[in-house]
């Protein structure tokens, strides 16, 4: 799914999201199978497969001189507990001859409270390797404010929950404060789940840097993204 500059709508990066197309059940959303894989310990097999596929895509773009934007991957706390994620990603970057800025690492807010020390150490190492780290689903957990002030990540993703209902004054004020605090701490802010022009206009007004949501683009198969990027060449960096 593309992520856009709020002001211009230009595609600035994208997020790799898994889909299971089952011959029996048809389309199965990740919300149905990811928690199951996280519980039975198989999530790391899926995630490492996806990370490899993402790096292959980036390498293909690079070698065919296609238009390139960084791609976000989702990292579960179970991955962090099972393998050395920074080393794993570093090996992929080396294998595919990429630079670390092309891979963005998304870790959900809940991971920070679930396993404090190891998550923080992992972020430290990711930064040492040159990766950019995003805090996903910010505001969906309980310990948000303290986590924000710890200034652990480079980009804050405000959870789509805030944008599910029409924005009232209370929510607007909370979102505006989150953006201000994040900017004070030198973090960029991305709002997810943006479906309406009203939300987008409000986010522009308060200086939110990026948006991700159906207003601009829904998640799409990679070949559709290639078609899109060809038709909107002026948007993206070579
Ligand atoms: P996420 O990482 O927060 O991804 C964003 C979710 O918001 C995606 O749901 C996306 O389809 C949805 N979304 C984006 N824009 C809009 C919008 O405007 N309206 C609405 N209603 N939804 C929007 P999706 O694809 O169902 O994925 C759900 C979650 O599953 C993801 O949330 C992520 O935490 C997890 N996930 C997906 N793929 C993977 C994966 O390969 N590995 C891991 N570990 N987790 C994954
Ligand atoms: Mg994510
Ligand atoms: Mg999210």
């Amino acid at each position: 799914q593309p992520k856009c500059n709020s002001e211009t709508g230009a595609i600035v990066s994208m997020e790799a999201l898994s889909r299971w197309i089952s011959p029996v059940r048809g389309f199965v959303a990740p919300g149905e199978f990811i928690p199951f894989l996280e519980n039975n310990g198989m999530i790391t097999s899926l995630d490492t497969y996806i990370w490899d596929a993402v790096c292959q895509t980036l390498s293909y773009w690079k070698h065919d001189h296609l238009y390139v934007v960084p791609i976000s991957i989702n990292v579960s706390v179970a991955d962090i507990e099972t393998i050395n994620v920074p080393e794993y990603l570093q090996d992929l970057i080396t294998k595919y001859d990429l630079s670390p800025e092309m891979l963005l690492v998304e870790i959900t807010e809940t991971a920070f409270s679930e396993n404090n020390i190891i998550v923080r150490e992992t972020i430290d190492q990711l930064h040492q390797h040159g990766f950019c780290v995003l805090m996903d689903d910010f505001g969906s957990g309980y310990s948000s404010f303290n986590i924000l002030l710890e200034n652990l990540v480079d980009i804050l993703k405000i959870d789509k929950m805030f944008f599910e209902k029409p924005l009232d004054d209370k929510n607007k004020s909370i979102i505006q404060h989150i953006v201000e605090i994040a900017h004070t701490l030198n973090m960029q802010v991305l709002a997810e789940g943006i479906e309406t022009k009203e939300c987008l206009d409000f986010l522009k007004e308060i200086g939110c840097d990026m948006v991700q949501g159906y207003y601009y683009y829904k998640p799409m198969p990679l070949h559709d993204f290639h078609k899109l990027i060809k038709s909107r060449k002026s948007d993206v960096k070579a």
Side-chain angles (χ1 to χ4, degrees), residues 15 17 74 106 136 157 192:
E15 177 172 10
L17 294 163
N74 287 287
E106 298 198 4
D136 206 350
K157 285 186 84 168
E192 3 178 48

Side-chain angles (χ1 to χ4, degrees), residues 178-225:
I178 293 173
V179 172
E180 278 168 11
I181 295 169
H183 282 165
T184 306
L185 298 169
N186 289 324
M187 288 181 245
Q188 285 195 299
V189 185
L190 186 156
E192 3 178 48
I194 305 312
E195 298 189 5
T196 64
K197 184 161 185 326
E198 288 69 33
C199 277
L200 177 67
D201 287 344
F202 166 68
L203 291 164
K204 278 187 197 176
E205 195 185 304
I206 62 165
C208 177
D209 307 277
M210 292 165 277
V211 293
Q212 179 176 352
Y214 299 173
Y215 178 79
Y216 279 121
Y217 303 104
K218 289 189 170 177
M220 59 183 83
L222 191 59
H223 54 86
D224 286 357
F225 182 71

Side-chain angles (χ1 to χ4, degrees), residues 45-109:
S45 304
L46 171 71
D47 280 344
T48 49
Y49 170 82
I50 299 282
W51 305 343
D52 195 281
V54 163
C55 289
Q56 266 187 52
T57 300
L58 286 165
S59 155
Y60 162 72
W61 288 351
K62 184 180 165 187
H63 289 109
D64 283 37
H65 304 289
L66 295 172
Y67 290 86
V68 174
V69 287
I71 305 181
S72 269
I73 51 165
N74 287 287
V75 172
S76 288
V77 72
D79 299 326
I80 293 174
E81 288 166 348
T82 313
I83 58 170
N84 185 324
V85 175
E87 268 177 27
Y88 196 95
L89 296 179
Q90 177 60 54
D91 288 349
L92 281 178
I93 292 291
T94 308
K95 175 176 164 194
Y96 289 104
D97 188 26
L98 300 168
S99 65
E101 305 91 74
M102 298 316 294
L103 211 54
L104 312 174
V105 181
E106 298 198 4
I107 303 177
T108 54
E109 183 205 66

Side-chain angles (χ1 to χ4, degrees), residues 138-141 158-165 171 192-193:
F138 178 77
S140 64
I158 303 180
D159 192 60
K160 57 180 178 297
M161 167 195 94
F162 286 100
F163 308 101
E164 275 163 4
K165 285 182 266 164
N171 263 339
E192 3 178 48

Side-chain angles (χ1 to χ4, degrees), residues 139-154:
S140 64
Y142 294 102
S143 49
S144 313
F145 202 71
N146 290 339
I147 288 175
L148 184 59
L149 295 180
E150 276 188 68
N151 199 8
L152 296 162
V153 297
D154 309 286

